[in-house]
Amino acid sequence: MMAIKEKTTISLDAQTKRDGIAMLDAMGLNLSTFAEMSLRQLVRDGRLPFTPSVRPSFEKDNEGYPLFKANMDDPRIVTPQIRDGAVILPEGWDDDED
């Protein structure tokens, strides 16, 4: 016996929806199929079908590139400068082999 389908309306951030649909499309899926797959797994397993996580957000420089913050007291960490989208390496990092 085939289950009766119901229409459901959800609100999504427009950019997240576009990005998600593009990724699903690359996998040969659509948003409805993904939603149903996720809900079926939720019901079957009694838990979320993924591990929620938080992606760190980065401040951006005036050219739109992310600024990475580091512990500047650690001598192993060198923060390169970015100029016109190119990384400017510190003096002494030049390799004579290339």
Side-chain angles (χ1 to χ4, degrees), residues 55-84:
R55 178 181 297 178
S57 60
F58 298 103
E59 294 177 35
K60 295 183 179 179
D61 67 12
N62 58 358
E63 295 176 352
Y65 294 97
L67 293 172
F68 297 97
K69 295 187 178 181
N71 177 1
M72 298 315 291
D73 295 329
D74 187 337
R76 298 171 296 168
I77 297 176
V78 177
T79 305
Q81 294 180 357
I82 299 176
R83 193 173 303 131
D84 296 326

Side-chain angles (χ1 to χ4, degrees), residues 33-45:
T33 301
F34 175 73
E36 185 159 351
M37 287 170 53
S38 298
L39 285 170
R40 284 179 182 266
Q41 243 184 308
L42 172 69
V43 170
R44 185 191 70 199
D45 298 342

Side-chain angles (χ1 to χ4, degrees), residues 18-31:
R18 282 191 295 273
D19 293 346
I21 287 173
M23 293 182 77
L24 290 168
D25 188 53
M27 292 184 251
L29 299 171
N30 63 38
L31 190 55

